Amino acid sequence: MSQQTYHITTFGCQMNKADSERMAGVLETLGYAAAEDEFVADLVLYNTCTIRDNAEQKVYSYLGRQAKRKHDNPALKIVVAGCVAQQQGEQLLRRVPEVDLVMGPQYVNRLADLLAQVEAGNQVAMTEPTHILEDITKPRRDSDITAWVNVIYGCNERCTYCIVPSVRGLEQSRTPEAIRQEIETLGRAGFKEITLLGQNIDAYGRDLKTNLAALLRYIHDVDGIERIRFATSHPRYFTEELIATCAELPKLCEHFHIPFQAGNNEVLKRMRRGYTHERYRDIIALVRSYMPDASITADAIVAFPGETEAQFEETLQLIRDIEFDAVNTAAYSPRPGTPAATWEEQLSEAVKSDRLQRINRAVAQSAAARSQRYLGRIEEVLVEAANPKRPDQVSGRTRSNRMVFFEGDLQRWRGQLVPVEIREARAFSLSGQLMASPTLQAVG
Ligand code: SAH
Ligand code: SF4
Ligand code: F3S
């Protein structure tokens, strides 16, 4: 029998990307090989996202096509993992009976056992809340330069718009020892940059009587790792101790993703975010007092139920005042089981799309203004890939996470930190020229 193949399609956030890499690792351990084409693979896995309604709808359209394929090829295995799987559970099996396995995010490390049940002829839905097992499998990572490292799972907040707590479960921190061990393995394998992951990463350690600042100190000296990042931070837990620690540790990159969601206090209160816009501004000011050049990015929601035009304008004002490097924006989408979805003051699609366009314009202006500061500077770039639009160019990121393109040979520079003089600045990317490299200097 020829080797069985698999294909994974990943929707949603970095947490899902990290989970997909672990599930790919499990599948390869079981003897599956990666297939390029999802309509040829013997096993297809959709790792799903339900943060907004359109994210969920996408999954059903993909599943429909695979269900048809299964009628001609009954051996095809269809797996639905991630947040839609968690939210729908057995309902999903009823809606798309061709699906073999529905598994919530807490079961990622148990994929092998669940597939064994499928092989035994069962249709399986596994979404009971459970303790996440320490990952003993080897993930198949998409990159060999940068890696995700899970640090805290779940979310204990209850933002009134958000479905995440009900699909990702309660907070569960990994132990500092397990995290350090994973990072040491990455360092030995030649990885240069890690991003520590959590829904609210700065809440790390509350269940272990430690915190993120202590974890950063504990992992900072791992050999081989040159850059450390973390995301996503919740303003409520972003302490001065954490800021001071980031400023002090040389490998800690000066980029912080701290969503604000809205710029009006009444809206923030109804979102149940637990801070005011004044408090948010104070945190950013504190970050900049320690690290004047820090990049700040965020998430924001427009057209939350009942948001007035004047309240929305306060969000625009916050964006202009802070000058963000980037902001992920979205129109509010009602999610099942969340309080805000039942409120009467839902806004029309017309208001949503108008506000989304206006906020995106403000974000682009703010990002373009922030990009100007790089002109003429020499930035350290970690080279990762080719520029898909210009094969003679390579791409990488600054410590502040801006994408940079420059002329160069990918084979030569891939995985290296090189100095690049910035000559052109666009809102979300930069172009420049490679400076005489440290290695060349050593030779000359
Ligand atoms: N834990 C992080 C955010 C994780 S969810 C935090 O609280 O900051 C990622 C982003 O999705 C959120 O920041 C929010 O901007 C967006 N989001 C969540 N629920 C949404 C909804 N119902 N409609 C639109 N956007 C939503
Ligand atoms: Fe959702 Fe709020 Fe938790 Fe973030 S903190 S994941 S927005 S409930
Ligand atoms: Fe989506 Fe789940 Fe992440 S809902 S944003 S994949 S936590």
Side-chain angles (χ1 to χ4, degrees):
M1 198 172 86
S2 67
Q3 187 175 24
Q4 297 275 298
T5 60
Y6 74 94
H7 187 277
I8 298 181
T9 309
T10 308
F11 304 90
C13 63
Q14 296 159 334
M15 245 75 57
N16 260 18
K17 290 186 183 129
D19 288 349
S20 287
E21 292 183 347
R22 296 219 302 286
M23 292 190 284
V26 173
L27 292 171
E28 298 202 353
T29 307
L30 291 174
Y32 283 88
E36 288 283 316
D37 183 345
E38 67 182 296
F39 293 103
V40 169
D42 302 300
L43 182 153
V44 288
L45 188 155
Y46 292 95
N47 196 12
T48 59
C49 173
T50 182
I51 199 80
R52 288 178 282 275
D53 186 55
N54 57 358
E56 187 180 329
Q57 292 315 317
K58 258 190 247 167
V59 178
Y60 283 106
S61 84
Y62 280 85
L63 284 178
R65 280 186 284 165
Q66 294 291 359
K68 271 204 200 103
R69 186 154 83 92
K70 188 158 181 161
H71 292 165
D72 303 325
N73 172 14
L76 170 66
K77 289 191 193 68
I78 306 178
V79 181
V80 186
C83 296
V84 174
Q86 181 63 38
Q87 191 226 331
Q88 301 268 304
E90 285 185 16
Q91 268 179 53
L92 206 151
L93 292 181
R94 281 195 287 277
R95 188 161 162 185
V96 190
E98 292 82 359
V99 169
D100 296 283
L101 170 59
V102 176
M103 53 184 280
Q106 297 182 325
Y107 287 86
V108 161
N109 297 342
R110 307 190 199 203
L111 175 60
D113 293 343
L114 298 175
L115 279 178
Q117 293 180 36
V118 170
E119 298 285 353
N122 300 303
Q123 210 179 11
V124 183
M126 200 54 89
T127 55
E128 281 296 300
T130 181
H131 187 83
I132 298 171
L133 294 181
E134 189 44 58
D135 186 10
I136 43 152
T137 58
K138 201 172 161 331
R140 176 191 189 270
R141 305 207 186 244
D142 291 338
S143 162
D144 55 3
I145 300 168
T146 63
W148 314 114
V149 176
N150 288 112
V151 159
I152 176 169
Y153 304 105
C155 173
N156 284 8
E157 306 297 308
R158 286 287 175 276
C159 302
T160 50
Y161 51 84
C162 185
I163 200 163
V164 169
S166 71
V167 290
R168 287 274 166 172
L170 290 175
E171 278 174 24
Q172 183 188 325
S173 300
R174 289 177 73 197
T175 65
E177 294 75 22
I179 294 166
R180 185 173 165 115
Q181 223 170 43
E182 180 172 353
I183 298 171
E184 284 175 351
T185 309
L186 291 167
R188 279 194 298 272
F191 284 82
K192 294 283 162 35
E193 179 181 301
I194 54 164
T195 303
L196 309 179
L197 288 185
Q199 278 299 347
N200 298 307
I201 187 142
D202 42 351
Y204 172 77
R206 293 198 293 173
D207 47 345
L208 301 176
K209 307 268 177 294
T210 180
N211 65 23
L212 182 60
L215 178 73
L216 294 175
R217 287 183 192 284
Y218 177 66
I219 60 152
H220 186 264
D221 68 347
V222 171
D223 271 350
I225 303 298
E226 312 258 10
R227 288 176 165 186
I228 301 172
R229 306 181 183 281
F230 58 84
T232 300
S233 301
H234 192 297
R236 192 188 282 189
Y237 305 102
F238 214 82
T239 60
E240 182 159 11
E241 183 198 4
L242 176 59
I243 296 170
T245 304
C246 293
E248 185 192 316
L249 297 176
K251 293 181 185 175
L252 232 296
C253 292
E254 300 76 20
H255 167 225
F256 304 100
H257 185 70
I258 318 176
F260 58 89
Q261 311 300 359
N264 168 269
N265 287 343
E266 180 59 30
V267 174
L268 286 169
K269 197 165 163 193
R270 293 168 66 245
M271 289 177 160
R272 219 187 282 154
R273 288 292 290 179
Y275 54 85
T276 59
H277 76 87
E278 290 90 350
R279 171 90 189 105
Y280 185 85
R281 289 168 193 262
D282 286 347
I283 294 169
I284 304 306
L286 198 59
V287 171
R288 288 181 168 159
S289 77
Y290 278 85
M291 292 164 275
D293 196 46
S295 279
I296 308 290
T297 60
D299 301 345
I301 297 175
V302 301
F304 185 71
E307 182 191 69
T308 64
E309 171 63 23
Q311 290 170 335
F312 167 66
E313 282 170 16
E314 285 188 57
T315 295
L316 295 182
Q317 193 57 47
L318 183 72
I319 291 173
R320 285 192 287 262
D321 292 346
I322 300 267
E323 277 212 339
F324 287 95
D325 289 86
V327 182
N328 304 324
T329 59
Y332 168 75
S333 169
R335 305 310 295 129
T338 60
T342 65
W343 297 348
E344 270 166 26
E345 328 83 309
Q346 304 290 327
L347 300 182
S348 67
E349 288 306 316
V351 170
K352 286 181 181 177
S353 82
D354 171 63
R355 290 186 187 169
L356 195 54
Q357 280 176 34
R358 284 158 67 201
I359 193 175
N360 286 343
R361 234 176 289 142
V363 170
Q365 274 169 12
S366 162
R370 286 290 285 164
S371 269
Q372 294 302 311
R373 77 190 194 278
Y374 293 102
L375 282 175
R377 272 178 24 184
I378 294 174
E379 286 287 314
E380 175 201 279
V381 174
L382 175 58
V383 181
E384 290 184 59
N387 177 356
K389 289 184 199 151
R390 289 273 308 268
D392 58 324
Q393 290 192 340
V394 298
S395 70
R397 285 171 189 278
T398 63
R399 283 172 65 97
S400 58
N401 214 31
R402 270 282 195 295
M403 179 74 86
V404 179
F405 301 106
F406 65 90
E407 263 177 44
D409 176 12
L410 186 62
Q411 297 307 321
R412 168 107 205 248
W413 300 117
R414 207 169 158 278
Q416 295 195 43
L417 293 159
V418 297
V420 176
E421 188 184 310
I422 305 304
R423 301 273 175 84
E424 264 178 68
R426 293 163 299 272
F428 300 105
S429 66
L430 308 168
S431 299
Q433 188 162 24
L434 181 65
M435 303 308 290
S437 78
T439 32
L440 291 177
Q441 274 165 10
V443 175

